[in-house]
Amino acid sequence: MISQEMASRINAQINREMYSANFYLSLAAQAETMSLRGVAAWLFAKHGEELAHAMKMYRYLIDQDAVVQIGDVAAPEAVEPSVIEMFEQTLTHERGVTACINELVDHALSEKDHATNIFLQWFVTEQIEEEATVKDILGRVRLFGDQGQALMLIDNELAGLAKQIGQAQDTTAA
């Protein structure tokens, strides 16, 4: 059985995941206004992933017979309309999420809550992937630039990645 303190911390993380979804949705809208449909599609796919993370935690709390408490979700701050800035902010954001997940794991271990520790390992692995993906995109944007043909190629690549994310989400929802 999960402690009230651990449940409270997971509830806070649910809110952070919902904030993350809004963060990505806000960036997707910004990319749309910049006519970067591939970037927008990738960011929108990430929005869906973040909502799925929140629901995974929601389901875990329900399965642990804990109370789910959804709090206010803050609006994300505006990001400068630059692809480099958007992905720099995304990397900063994901590193913050990683720190929060690590704190949850640390707390689960301090409570000897083995079930929650095992549950959270999926998120630890997910954050490794999230940060690596964003670092890769950001590295290529920095290397090739965020103008002209280089930006068009990155935009097209992200459109393809968005489709892959969508297909992965479709198979896990089934």
Side-chain angles (χ1 to χ4, degrees), residues 59-98:
R59 178 55 43 208
Y60 179 74
L61 289 178
I62 294 296
D63 290 348
Q64 290 291 313
D65 204 24
V67 175
V68 174
Q69 296 176 317
I70 306 299
D72 292 337
V73 179
E77 292 183 25
V79 174
E80 185 179 322
S82 148
V83 174
I84 288 177
E85 183 63 26
M86 291 167 74
F87 282 100
E88 284 176 347
Q89 288 297 317
T90 299
L91 183 57
T92 298
H93 175 76
E94 287 299 340
R95 286 178 172 160
V97 172
T98 298

Side-chain angles (χ1 to χ4, degrees), residues 27-41 83 86 151-152 155-156:
L27 290 178
Q30 188 169 334
E32 290 270 8
T33 66
M34 298 166 66
S35 299
L36 297 170
R37 291 187 178 182
V39 173
V83 174
M86 291 167 74
L151 181 56
M152 184 180 77
D155 191 53
N156 288 338

